[in-house]
Amino acid sequence: MEEMLAIFIASTLRLAMPLMLAASGELVSERAGVLNLSLEGMMLTAAFFGALGSWASGNPYLGVACAILASVVVSAVQAWLSVNLRANQLVVGIGFNILALGATTLLYRIIFGGLSREEIPGLPKLAVKGLSDLPFAGTAFFQQSVIVYVGLALIVLIWAMLNHTSFGLSVRAVGDEPRSADKAGIPVAATRWKAVLITGFMAGFAGAFISIADIHTFTENMTNGAGYLALAAVIFGGWNIGRTVAACLLFGAATALQFQLPAMGINVPTAFLLMLPYLLALLAVAGVVGRLEPPTSLTLPFQRGK
């Protein structure tokens, strides 16, 4: 039983990691007032170009760099449309997601061929010396991909940045009171641009984790709604990074149950297990978990003097 629990915790962390990476980046952007509904598209784009870069070069680390670059490019276009052109953020996000799905599917079929499952060079699991052999904890925490450890460090850095730096204060200011922030000398547009680029950077890591660190291949629509779950986690967490990470772990645990319960001989309808993460996300978005208070200017464009 102890071994099964350790495997369940390890699976929860692995399945929650792309959500935690994407959600922590999205949290920065939303605190600055920009909603990236295109998070799903960013992750899918990153997963494809990460897999392509790893396959073409034979180097998974170069693949991760390609994934991050592709996602940051998408986030830059998102920032230009949302911040500079003040386009409707919901429409822009939906458009990007449709475009990403269509473009990656087309390129995948052209380059790899239809229904290909060609394995790509992937990142190996990193067994932490002296810790991976520990009973229970070794299996649960110290036999993960290197991106897991880098990702946890990045999440801590984002927490520190939001709560203990002047840039974090600027992010919160332009998300709540952009006009007051502008009068105080804070560059609203530049701050929002940086926040969206941070989202792209983190979504790039998330997409790379899925295709390069976890599955070692690319399949059509392989993110399968992970970006939307990450968005729901930000809402579930009340725009607080600690609670957002906890929400991602909850979604990861719900997904891990799909594999754990049958292994334990517990018969639960598969359809219910598949639905469980999205049911939790729906409850979060519906506000069942409590009163939600988003940043005051979330999705609202800013124009100086108006």
Side-chain angles (χ1 to χ4, degrees):
M1 180 61 72
E2 183 177 299
E3 184 65 21
M4 293 188 70
L5 179 59
I7 293 173
F8 173 70
I9 293 174
S11 298
T12 295
L13 182 58
R14 176 178 60 84
L15 293 167
M17 181 49 59
L19 303 181
M20 290 193 289
L21 289 167
S24 59
E26 175 63 17
L27 176 66
V28 177
S29 182
E30 292 195 21
R31 291 296 295 266
V34 180
L35 173 65
N36 295 291
L37 198 61
S38 58
L39 193 60
E40 174 80 5
M42 291 182 193
M43 293 176 66
L44 184 58
T45 301
F48 173 77
F49 282 99
L52 180 62
S54 180
W55 171 76
S57 67
N59 187 331
Y61 295 97
L62 186 58
V64 173
C66 291
I68 294 171
L69 178 61
S71 184
V72 168
V73 168
V74 174
S75 69
V77 179
Q78 166 87 55
W80 177 65
L81 291 171
S82 299
V83 179
N84 295 79
L85 299 186
R86 296 181 292 279
N88 186 297
Q89 295 172 18
L90 299 177
V91 174
V92 169
I94 293 172
F96 266 123
N97 290 339
I98 295 172
L99 176 61
L101 177 58
T104 56
T105 298
L106 176 63
L107 291 172
Y108 165 74
R109 293 182 180 181
I110 292 174
I111 297 171
F112 296 102
L115 301 178
S116 172
R117 292 294 184 272
E118 183 167 347
E119 187 170 345
I120 62 172
L123 294 172
K125 290 185 178 181
L126 179 63
V128 181
K129 189 175 181 179
L131 297 176
S132 60
D133 295 329
L134 291 174
F136 186 79
T139 301
F141 301 110
F142 300 112
Q143 296 179 20
Q144 300 280 355
S145 167
V146 64
I147 291 187
V148 170
Y149 306 110
V150 174
L152 292 174
L154 287 172
I155 292 169
V156 172
L157 285 176
I158 287 179
W159 168 81
M161 180 269 293
L162 279 175
N163 294 284
H164 300 287
T165 68
S166 57
F167 176 70
L169 180 62
S170 297
V171 166
R172 287 177 282 144
V174 302
D176 286 326
E177 296 291 343
R179 303 200 184 284
S180 299
D182 181 59
K183 291 178 182 178
I186 297 174
V188 175
T191 301
R192 287 185 169 180
W193 254 90
K194 292 175 184 176
V196 176
L197 291 178
I198 289 172
T199 302
F201 178 82
M202 297 298 288
F205 259 109
F209 178 88
I210 295 173
S211 62
I212 301 175
D214 192 16
I215 302 179
H216 296 188
T217 191
F218 179 84
T219 59
E220 296 176 13
N221 192 29
M222 72 181 308
T223 49
N224 197 29
Y228 296 113
L229 283 178
L231 286 165
V234 175
I235 299 172
F236 202 165
W239 293 269
N240 173 278
I241 192 163
R243 293 197 294 268
T244 296
V245 167
C248 292
L249 289 170
L250 178 62
F251 293 162
T255 305
L257 285 175
Q258 298 175 23
F259 312 99
Q260 192 71 19
L261 291 181
M264 296 172 62
I266 300 175
N267 295 319
V268 178
T270 303
F272 175 77
L273 295 175
L274 291 172
M275 177 186 70
L276 187 56
Y278 301 96
L279 176 61
L280 294 174
L282 178 62
L283 294 175
V285 175
V288 174
V289 294
R291 183 180 179 184
L292 300 173
E293 295 184 1
T296 308
S297 295
L298 182 61
T299 74
L300 300 179
F302 171 76
Q303 186 173 7
R304 175 177 283 182
K306 290 187 178 181

